[in-house]
């Protein structure tokens, strides 16, 4: 495997887990007031776009990474709409 | 241009601007307590990894998108360290 491929896989892994600490913090504090709904919406829409692209081209790492990001984005959107505002 | 390319460009554009609404909200409220430092750190590290990958392979859209995300991540990290805690 060429060394650039390792960077691609590390990048895909990091991008996939980006929102895990955010979901954890939000769940622990039950506070999402400072989280931008615009940001979460863009993340969700971009996941849909990337999934169409990746399924069409059969890019498995992109499919896996975006599926994980999509699930985390849906969790954060659910928190945003259900946690009481402070 | 094949239709999948359009999805790639739309996805890259959306990913690039993901944190713009978050920077705007944080700047407006001067409040970033609910933002996960872990998330911001992962975003920054992943940008560095993606830039190495993209420069090595000459992937201009990936370079442009990650440069924008990197600048926005640095701004949010700066806010996180300088805005007073509530």
């Amino acid at each position: 495997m060429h060394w650039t491929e390792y960077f691609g896989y590390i990048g895909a892994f990091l991008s996939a887990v980006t929102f895990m600490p955010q979901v954890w913090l939000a769940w622990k504090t039950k506070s999402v007031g400072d989280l931008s709904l615009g940001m979460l919406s863009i993340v969700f829409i971009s996941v849909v776009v990337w999934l169409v692209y990746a399924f069409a081209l059969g890019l498995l790492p992109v499919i896996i990474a975006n599926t994980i990001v999509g699930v985390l984005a849906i969790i954060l959107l659910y928190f945003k709409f259900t946690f009481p505002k402070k």
Side-chain angles (χ1 to χ4, degrees), chain A:
Chain A
M1 196 156 75
H2 195 259
W3 68 269
T4 53
E5 273 192 73
Y6 289 103
F7 275 79
Y9 280 110
I10 297 168
F13 171 78
L14 290 172
S15 294
V17 302
T18 296
F19 290 101
M20 283 187 186
Q22 184 62 66
V23 167
W24 170 247
L25 180 71
W27 174 252
K28 209 173 54 176
T29 61
K30 303 284 183 287
S31 176
V32 290
D34 297 339
L35 270 188
S36 160
L37 181 59
M39 173 185 73
L40 297 176
S41 307
I42 293 176
V43 170
F44 182 75
I45 297 167
S46 73
V47 162
V48 174
V49 172
W50 280 127
L51 282 176
V52 171
Y53 177 79
F55 270 107
L57 297 178
L59 306 171
L60 191 60
V62 182
I63 292 172
I64 294 170
N66 275 281
T67 302
I68 296 169
V69 173
V71 170
L72 297 171
I74 288 169
I75 293 171
L76 288 172
L77 282 165
Y78 176 76
F79 287 171
K80 187 74 186 169
F81 285 117
T82 57
F83 284 172
K85 279 181 186 154
K86 285 176 185 169

